[in-house]
Amino acid sequence: GTIASGSHISLALTNEQHSAMYGDISGYQSSKGGGTGRRRPQVIGTADFYRRLPSEMKESTKIGITMSFLALFIMIVLFLFETYAFLHRSINSNIAIDVNAEQLLRVNFNVTLYDVHCDFVEVGVWDTLGTNLQNVTKDINKWNLNKEGSVEKFHGRNSEQKHVSHEHHSPQELAELKQKMNEGFLSAVDLTSNNIEDFHSKNDLVFIDYFAPWCVWCQRLAPTWEQFAQVANWQHLDVGIGKVDCVAHGDLCKEERIMAFPTLRWYQEGKAVMPDYTGDRTIGSFLAFVKKKIENYEDDEYDDEEEEHHPGCLVAGHLLVNRVPSHIHMEAMSVNHELNSMMTNLTHRINDFSFGTPDGLFMSQLLHILPFTNAIPEAEKRSNPLKDKYYPTFHFHQAFHHHMKVVSTHVPFLFSSGLVYQVLAESQLVMYEEMEIPAIKFIWDMSPMSVYLEEEDRQWYDYVTSLCAIIGGTYTTLGLINKVMLKIFKPKSY
């Protein structure tokens, strides 16, 4: 018969269907009607978490199919992201007091100076413990540059500058020379911007002394240079001997790029032949040098290497310094010259300036190369922040000072940990007094704190729990959305 209006739908189910949906209810027998008594319900039947609806009560809908495919797509996407996150390690950073007991720190540098000759480049070290070393020679090499600023040839290891010999003059000789100077009877010709071209045109070979009156070495050379000019005239050497006062004729010396006093330069047919003379400053040495040059000129034995010259220098090496606030300075210095501060141009490029042993440097390079190190933040890879940076100076009496804070960093690598020094760097252009020789300075301080980078691995059960949450959460959420959609779009039946 028909089901009365308002009756529960379960009344129309057969016992088998009811048992399939709600479990066996035979355990319940009424005490009325001759029953033997009330029985306890069967616990196993009622504990079924996964009760199944009969197939005739299941209904497919377009909304349900759409939600099912959407749920499957979301599960796959979330599964892939979760698996990727599980396989890739994350890096945590901790800060603690630096317990490094090493007393020395290795400093590595490679700097190109574009306008300072290798003969004049000096590397010095200073620290707060009282260390003050000038012209450090150990483990430092130099290379000459060509006019394009590229390395041309190996200049040699940095070494102590050789002291040149000077001529000794008696007081009587000095008095006679002074008298001749006052009377204007000099063998070395005073050259200026007005007469130097005429002097070159009259003499195919010229030897010129560029000097400054305040220079001690120039004062010591002056009587020797005058006597050398006299001897050259007496011997009828085919060479013009001249001199230029760079204080009175600064523009001429600037045009000739005179960087140190005295500068003794040889000219052939009006063209400077480099490098400048750096031998002993005695009459005999000058005469031997001039005679050899004359002989080479007559035999036409000049080569291109002598004619091409550029004052640039590349300085590279490493130093072991105390682990205290320190600085390395690079400047133009000479034991036999007074440097011309007006011509000291310290434009430079830092090819490398880093801290640590070769093993640590190799580790810092791996941070930028190997793919598994992508998990390490870029902020933890600042091992060489000054690398490949160019610092030009456009005016005299200027130089850059580079200030650095060095932080010890322990980086995980395979089954061990490596020590890398991170560096925070700032550069500042410093102005010098007119008579001061500018210097490039690399100033650093060691941080008392150290950074420890640690790998954080996820446990397998965390991964499995996340997958279950993805599956269950997606299924439940889209199931609720499906019910809401059915309520909205499926018409009610009365």
Side-chain angles (χ1 to χ4, degrees):
T2 60
I3 300 176
S5 176
S7 298
H8 198 279
I9 188 63
S10 64
L11 296 177
L13 301 176
T14 65
N15 290 335
E16 291 79 3
Q17 293 172 337
H18 198 284
S19 297
M21 293 178 60
Y22 304 105
D24 189 4
I25 60 174
S26 60
Y28 291 92
Q29 294 185 358
S30 175
S31 58
K32 297 181 183 180
T36 59
R38 185 180 299 274
R39 296 182 180 178
R40 295 181 179 179
Q42 294 182 358
V43 179
I44 296 178
T46 59
D48 187 0
F49 293 157
Y50 304 98
R51 295 173 181 174
R52 182 176 61 85
L53 285 174
S55 58
E56 56 266 24
M57 297 196 65
K58 297 178 181 178
E59 179 182 2
S60 297
T61 63
K62 293 182 179 180
I63 297 177
I65 295 173
T66 303
M67 290 297 174
S68 298
F69 280 107
L70 181 60
L72 182 62
F73 174 75
I74 293 176
M75 289 180 188
I76 294 175
V77 172
L78 294 179
F79 169 78
L80 295 177
F81 278 105
E82 185 66 23
T83 303
Y84 178 84
F86 174 72
L87 296 178
H88 284 70
R89 301 173 178 177
S90 60
I91 301 294
N92 290 333
S93 59
N94 300 315
I95 298 178
I97 295 178
D98 189 4
V99 295
N100 194 332
E102 296 179 357
Q103 294 183 352
L104 298 178
L105 174 67
R106 173 170 167 149
V107 183
N108 312 281
F109 57 89
N110 185 316
V111 181
T112 301
L113 292 86
Y114 290 99
D115 204 23
V116 180
H117 196 279
C118 286
D119 291 337
F120 298 147
V121 175
E122 179 181 281
V123 180
V125 181
W126 176 92
D127 65 36
T128 56
L129 295 181
T131 302
N132 189 5
L133 301 178
Q134 301 293 331
N135 195 27
V136 180
T137 59
K138 185 179 180 181
D139 300 320
I140 299 178
N141 298 316
K142 298 176 181 178
W143 286 263
N144 292 327
L145 304 182
N146 56 26
K147 61 182 179 180
E148 286 80 20
S150 302
V151 173
E152 184 178 53
K153 64 179 180 179
F154 181 65
H155 179 81
R157 296 191 62 179
N158 192 32
S159 59
E160 293 287 343
Q161 296 185 15
K162 179 183 176 181
H163 290 266
V164 300
S165 299
H166 291 78
E167 196 81 36
H168 294 282
H169 302 279
S170 64
Q172 182 180 357
E173 291 176 335
L174 295 176
E176 293 177 356
L177 176 63
K178 186 176 181 180
Q179 182 179 358
K180 289 183 179 180
M181 291 179 62
N182 294 333
E183 295 175 355
F185 297 104
L186 295 176
S187 299
V189 180
D190 284 316
L191 300 176
T192 67
S193 301
N194 298 325
N195 66 356
I196 190 169
E197 292 185 2
D198 183 61
F199 187 72
H200 281 299
S201 64
K202 292 180 180 179
N203 301 277
D204 291 337
L205 301 179
V206 172
F207 201 16
I208 298 179
D209 169 25
Y210 293 90
F211 70 96
W214 50 263
C215 168
V216 175
W217 302 111
C218 300
Q219 296 171 7
R220 192 170 182 180
L221 174 64
T224 303
W225 192 255
E226 179 61 26
Q227 289 184 351
F228 158 65
Q230 291 178 0
V231 174
N233 292 334
W234 294 339
Q235 296 184 7
H236 303 288
L237 297 179
D238 190 13
V239 59
I241 309 298
K243 58 183 179 180
V244 177
D245 184 349
C246 287
V247 174
H249 309 286
D251 292 339
L252 176 58
C253 293
K254 184 177 180 181
E255 181 180 348
E256 293 292 329
R257 300 180 62 84
I258 303 302
M259 299 182 59
F261 304 122
T263 293
L264 306 178
R265 183 163 295 176
W266 180 264
Y267 291 85
Q268 175 187 324
E269 297 177 356
K271 181 179 179 181
V273 179
M274 307 299 266
D276 294 325
Y277 177 82
T278 56
D280 290 337
R281 298 168 185 169
T282 62
I283 297 175
S285 299
F286 289 150
L287 290 173
F289 173 79
V290 168
K291 291 178 180 180
K292 182 178 178 181
K293 287 290 186 179
I294 294 175
E295 181 181 354
N296 290 339
Y297 175 70
E298 292 175 350
D299 296 339
D300 196 19
E301 294 183 358
Y302 284 92
D303 53 25
D304 295 336
E305 183 178 357
E306 288 182 318
E307 296 178 0
E308 291 294 333
H309 178 76
H310 189 79
C313 184
L314 185 146
V315 185
H318 68 270
L319 298 173
L320 293 176
V321 299
N322 295 316
R323 291 175 59 90
V324 296
S326 311
H327 77 246
I328 292 176
H329 57 266
M330 297 181 182
E331 58 186 342
M333 294 293 292
S334 175
V335 298
N336 301 306
H337 301 81
E338 292 287 350
L339 271 296
N340 184 4
S341 61
M342 289 293 295
M343 292 300 296
T344 305
N345 179 11
L346 293 181
T347 295
H348 63 282
R349 179 183 297 275
I350 303 175
N351 305 306
D352 175 75
F353 198 94
S354 56
F355 299 84
T357 61
D359 293 338
L361 297 178
F362 175 72
M363 179 73 66
S364 63
Q365 293 175 358
L366 289 182
L367 294 180
H368 300 272
I369 298 175
L370 298 181
F372 65 82
T373 59
N374 290 337
I376 299 178
E378 288 297 326
E380 309 292 349
K381 299 181 182 180
R382 298 173 179 172
S383 58
N384 202 344
L386 296 177
K387 183 177 181 179
D388 296 331
K389 290 190 175 181
Y390 179 66
Y391 296 93
T393 54
F394 299 102
H395 303 283
F396 296 116
H397 315 299
Q398 293 181 347
F400 276 93
H401 291 185
H402 308 283
H403 301 264
M404 291 165 281
K405 176 68 74 172
V406 183
V407 183
S408 301
T409 304
H410 300 267
V411 180
F413 179 69
L414 298 179
F415 304 103
S416 62
S417 177
L419 178 61
V420 176
Y421 290 96
Q422 293 191 85
V423 181
L424 301 176
E426 293 290 341
S427 299
Q428 181 182 12
L429 185 63
V430 178
M431 304 298 297
Y432 283 77
E433 297 294 335
E434 184 176 355
M435 296 306 296
E436 286 184 310
I437 304 298
I440 304 170
K441 290 187 178 181
F442 299 90
I443 307 166
W444 68 86
D445 183 15
M446 298 296 299
S447 172
M449 310 303 292
S450 182
V451 177
Y452 292 84
L453 301 180
E454 298 177 351
E455 295 178 326
E456 183 179 5
D457 296 329
R458 291 182 61 187
Q459 301 296 332
W460 65 268
Y461 50 79
D462 184 23
Y463 171 66
V464 174
T465 302
S466 298
L467 292 183
C468 293
I470 289 173
I471 297 173
T474 305
Y475 180 82
T476 302
T477 302
L478 292 181
L480 293 175
I481 296 175
N482 181 48
K483 289 183 179 181
V484 173
M485 301 290 286
L486 288 174
K487 288 288 185 180
I488 296 174
F489 295 105
K490 189 172 183 180
K492 296 182 179 180
S493 58
Y494 295 96

